[in-house]
Amino acid sequence: MTACVLETTMDGGTARPAPMTISADGGYAARLVTGAEPGSWYPERWTLGGPEPYAVPLPLSQPEEPDSDLLPFADGRVLIRRRVADRHNIALLYPTGPGTGELPLGTVERERLTLLPPSPCGSAAYALAPGDGTTELWRVHGGSSGGPSGGPERITELPGLCTGGAWLDRTGQLLALDRESADDGRVKAVAVDLARGGETSPLLQITEESNDRLLLADPGSGLLLVRSDAAGHDRLGWGVLGSTRPVRFPEVLRLADAAVTPFAVQPGQVLMPESCAVALRIDGAGGSRIGVWRPSGRQLHQLATPEGWLAGTGLWTREGELRLPYATVDVRCGVARVAVPDAEAPAGAVRSGAAGRGAGAGAGAGAPAPARPVPLQEAPLAKAQ
């Protein structure tokens, strides 16, 4: 439903936190905001699930560093990762009347640790710790170790440098990562099965020489948004998890004067991945714009961004309403609502993505087993038909 950039950005050499992270169910969000003292930061939690959004500050006795990561859960608690020397302290924050409660979860003693996007299960958090030619995958909350708080536990060590992160199923079992090979430096997306001890399998292999990254995935429909240089330069494309059809690269998503990045997919389109609306951040010389596109359509609709938009963040409702968080001097916590008309998929639209995930998916017949990823290959690099 959402895509969240968790890594800290740089602004003129100064570290600045990511704009916002939204929980997997869309009910909560969290961000770091500046305090009264210059250069000081504190967490702020937004409630998005009610009729009107509102923000709750979560300050503690000491200000936070701008490179701290926040991850909101479905129950309203916010996980924070703080770096202290060569270790990372993990804790849960929650409002307690006028104050802020804190539950320490444990420490990961690694030089680098990056939180992954919120798990679809809504109660677990994962992180990557890159090392010398390998990357460790950690569960930093919601595991079996660490007592009732579910502290950090190392799950597996993967060869190569792993980045990115997208969930492929609704239970939080299959995780997709972009893995850079230590041998040739090429990047291929792989799927990690957490129920099988971190077993990996290929996910994207468009050509042997290409760099193939997964940008965004919708666990319900299986729609995948990818970026690949198989054509000699980076292109934005799409495919369906569990389908044997190749990745397609629509010309409409190729803008010569702007960078296009997907950040949210409309949920609820279980049998119709091609009808999912996709929200795109379009960054050009004139600033950022919002793009709306569907695989079944042939148009990219561009919209003006609301003032104070927390760029790259947002979510779709099942009804097709795009919600964009924003904050201005006058509005501390706001959500712009953009109604996007439904677009029916054409006759013969691909519906095979859900077929591979078991009968009765989304129909209340029990959670089906997640699909085993099928490598997407032999992608046509010309205009999508």
Side-chain angles (χ1 to χ4, degrees):
M1 182 166 63
T2 63
C4 307
V5 179
L6 300 177
E7 295 182 353
T8 302
T9 59
M10 301 297 292
D11 182 8
T14 302
R16 295 185 61 83
M20 174 172 280
T21 303
I22 302 176
S23 63
D25 66 346
Y28 293 95
R31 66 173 186 148
L32 285 176
V33 297
T34 54
E37 297 291 331
S40 65
W41 302 85
Y42 67 89
E44 183 179 74
R45 189 198 70 184
W46 289 27
T47 297
L48 303 176
E52 294 293 335
Y54 64 92
V56 176
L58 297 174
L60 293 167
S61 57
Q62 296 291 328
E64 305 293 346
E65 295 295 328
D67 61 352
S68 298
D69 289 335
L70 300 176
L71 199 71
F73 289 121
D75 62 5
R77 295 184 296 175
V78 176
L79 182 140
I80 185 168
R81 178 208 58 83
R82 303 182 180 101
R83 176 164 184 161
V84 182
D86 289 336
R87 68 181 187 274
H88 302 263
N89 294 337
I90 312 297
L92 287 175
L93 306 179
Y94 51 92
T96 56
T100 301
E102 181 176 13
L103 175 63
L105 298 179
T107 298
V108 177
E109 296 186 358
R110 296 293 185 271
E111 181 179 356
R112 288 185 291 166
L113 188 74
T114 304
L115 293 182
L116 289 169
S119 169
C121 71
S123 59
Y126 296 83
L128 297 176
D132 185 12
T134 63
T135 303
E136 293 179 346
L137 175 62
W138 284 73
R139 183 186 291 113
V140 295
H141 177 59
S144 57
S145 67
S149 64
E153 59 179 323
R154 180 179 176 275
I155 297 177
T156 188
E157 185 173 16
L158 306 169
L161 175 63
C162 295
T163 56
W167 295 96
L168 301 178
D169 71 317
R170 289 175 289 185
T171 65
Q173 176 180 331
L174 289 180
L175 170 67
L177 298 172
D178 298 330
R179 184 170 67 186
E180 179 181 335
S181 171
D183 297 329
D184 55 22
R186 292 191 177 91
V187 179
K188 302 290 184 184
V190 298
V192 182
D193 193 329
L194 302 182
R196 300 187 181 186
E199 175 186 304
T200 62
S201 57
L203 180 63
L204 289 177
Q205 176 80 27
I206 298 179
T207 70
E208 291 192 6
E209 295 78 20
S210 59
N211 294 289
D212 309 317
R213 294 175 171 86
L214 178 62
L215 303 182
L216 195 60
D218 176 52
S221 66
L223 179 66
L224 307 179
L225 279 299
V226 309
R227 191 181 302 280
S228 173
D229 61 0
H233 50 272
D234 278 340
R235 295 284 300 273
L236 189 63
W238 67 279
V240 179
L241 182 67
S243 170
T244 57
R245 295 192 64 179
V247 175
R248 278 139 283 182
F249 295 87
E251 283 290 330
V252 72
L253 298 182
R254 184 183 180 187
L255 303 183
D257 58 347
V260 182
T261 307
F263 66 88
V265 177
Q266 180 186 1
Q269 312 299 306
V270 177
L271 299 179
M272 296 292 292
E274 288 191 342
S275 67
C276 291
V278 179
L280 306 139
R281 175 180 174 176
I282 303 174
D283 294 309
S288 296
R289 304 186 302 278
I290 301 292
V292 176
W293 165 83
R294 288 181 173 86
S296 61
R298 297 177 180 269
Q299 292 183 322
L300 172 62
H301 303 279
Q302 298 193 36
L303 312 171
T305 62
E307 180 184 358
W309 178 46
L310 302 176
T313 63
L315 58 90
W316 288 96
T317 66
R318 292 177 178 270
E319 294 73 30
E321 181 182 70
L322 178 60
R323 299 183 177 180
L324 303 172
Y326 70 92
T328 65
V329 174
D330 298 323
V331 181
R332 174 183 170 185
C333 171
V335 175
R337 302 169 185 262
V338 180
V340 179
D342 257 341
E344 293 185 0
V350 176
R351 299 171 185 246
S352 60
R357 284 181 290 281
R372 298 304 302 162
V374 176
L376 303 173
Q377 307 185 63
E378 301 174 6
L381 302 177
K383 183 184 297 185
Q385 298 300 314

